[in-house]
Amino acid sequence: MITLKGVAKTFGAARILDDIDLEIPAGQRIALIGSNGAGKTTLFRCLLGEYVHEGRVTIDGRDPRRDRTEVLRLVGFVPQIAPRLEMPVAALMRYVADVSRGDVADMGAVAERMGLDVDQIARRPFVRLSGGMKQKLLIALALGRPTRMLILDEPAANLDPAARASLFDLLAERADATMIISSHRIDEIAALVNRVIELERGRIVLDDTVTDVGALGSVFEVALETAREEASFARAAADWGLVRDADRWSGSIAGPDRLRFLGFVARHAGLVRSLAMDDRTPAAPDASIAREDAHDGLLADR
């Protein structure tokens, strides 16, 4: 579906992309990784037809610059940095729906799943929304329309844990779409992808398939007990969607967020008395990855 041949991009004396050759078949889900300045965002901009560059890019046989309208109808894009748009939210949603031949109601439904009520902010200029609201709306605009391809540049940035879980669920439901997801953290998107490409100084230094990523849309049920009450922990646990019953907390964590959640628990090692995480992914074996008897091992470095 996507082909890049000899793609290079230079800004002044800096060569940001350096002779990129790449084939991405339809339906493949790619994690694009690399340090800041590696060329990830520049590559995305070339795919979207925003930059003049050396070499050739085609998406579904079309040139993104010459056939930009047709290409953008195929692509749902979430940028790393939100654009400065003065347009009110409702007008922005109508405009994107018209251009993409989508439905405003579908975009609103995605926003609602992300925890954003678009009716409450319909008249507010996009530029005046909080960072989290902007990100949720951009995700809704990309995923709430008929697309065959998703380009997501750090899509989980500025999202609270509950919204991150919803994002991972939404992406899991689009398993047939071609995806390129940029992230500094491969652990959080490992369950969503089947190929990893790493850029370094504008060149591809790694291109490998992923065979052991776990199930798409994986979910872990969490049960933990605390030794005492602590306000800062309570606020953070609530952000993770955990529900409190005395000193016990319970809830569910999206699979791609598992390691981040364990890091949160480890930072409160002196407070957490016990922890259990069970894989409750549909059709998955009932296997616990962390039990109360493993608590001491998990938090041994406190």
Side-chain angles (χ1 to χ4, degrees):
M1 183 178 187
I2 304 170
T3 301
L4 296 90
K5 292 188 179 297
V7 174
K9 178 62 182 175
T10 301
F11 292 100
R15 197 164 178 84
I16 307 303
L17 296 179
D18 191 0
D19 198 27
I20 298 290
D21 289 328
L22 192 59
E23 294 279 348
I24 303 175
Q28 199 159 64
R29 303 182 303 276
I30 291 176
L32 183 66
I33 63 174
S35 59
N36 287 334
K40 301 187 300 296
T41 297
T42 300
L43 179 60
F44 284 163
R45 299 292 180 180
C46 291
L47 288 174
L48 295 168
E50 296 183 13
Y51 289 159
V52 175
H53 55 79
E54 300 173 40
R56 188 182 181 201
V57 175
T58 59
I59 296 179
D60 207 22
R62 297 179 174 90
D63 183 303
R65 289 190 62 79
R66 187 180 62 243
D67 308 311
R68 195 168 183 211
T69 300
E70 291 80 1
V71 167
L72 291 181
R73 285 192 181 123
L74 299 175
V75 179
F77 175 55
V78 177
Q80 181 178 11
I81 300 175
R84 290 187 58 82
L85 299 174
E86 298 289 346
M87 189 180 298
V89 168
L92 176 59
M93 294 178 69
R94 286 195 301 271
Y95 172 76
V96 173
D98 290 343
V99 170
S100 65
R101 299 173 182 170
D103 191 324
V104 170
D106 292 339
M107 296 174 186
V110 173
E112 184 176 359
R113 288 184 61 178
M114 296 292 298
L116 181 66
D117 186 343
V118 292
D119 290 336
Q120 292 185 354
I121 59 171
R123 296 184 179 180
R124 291 175 60 180
F126 176 84
V127 72
R128 295 186 184 177
L129 301 179
S130 68
M133 286 181 174
K134 289 177 183 175
Q135 193 71 1
K136 292 175 183 179
L137 185 59
L138 290 171
I139 290 169
L141 295 177
L143 300 186
R145 38 175 287 209
T147 56
R148 295 169 51 192
M149 176 180 171
L150 297 171
I151 295 179
L152 312 171
D153 198 355
E154 298 287 347
N158 297 317
L159 295 182
D160 56 84
R164 290 169 66 90
S166 296
L167 170 62
F168 297 138
D169 286 344
L170 286 162
L171 293 178
E173 293 168 11
R174 301 289 291 272
D176 292 336
T178 305
M179 298 185 194
I180 309 179
I181 310 174
S182 168
S183 177
H184 289 295
R185 301 182 49 182
I186 186 62
D187 59 282
E188 74 175 6
I189 60 173
L192 296 167
V193 302
N194 50 30
R195 183 179 175 188
V196 177
I197 295 173
E198 182 177 3
L199 291 181
E200 182 178 319
R201 296 183 180 181
R203 287 181 172 269
I204 295 175
V205 296
L206 172 70
D207 185 351
D208 203 0
T209 56
V210 180
T211 58
D212 186 18
V213 299
L216 288 173
S218 56
V219 177
F220 291 87
E221 292 297 326
V222 173
L224 65 81
E225 183 179 359
T226 53
R228 62 185 182 278
E229 183 175 344
E230 187 174 292
S232 61
F233 176 87
R235 288 192 296 270
D239 286 342
W240 278 103
L242 301 185
V243 177
R244 181 179 181 180
D245 182 7
D247 290 330
R248 295 181 180 273
W249 298 79
S250 61
S252 60
I253 301 297
D257 262 343
R258 183 178 71 249
L259 295 183
R260 290 185 65 249
F261 178 74
L262 292 175
F264 156 69
V265 173
R267 289 193 297 274
H268 294 85
L271 180 66
V272 176
R273 179 177 292 164
S274 65
L275 169 68
M277 292 181 68
D278 292 318
D279 188 347
R280 298 301 184 189
T281 306
D286 185 12
S288 172
I289 68 160
R291 286 287 188 182
E292 290 155 352
D293 57 7
H295 173 256
D296 290 340
L298 173 65
L299 305 179
D301 294 332
R302 67 178 180 269

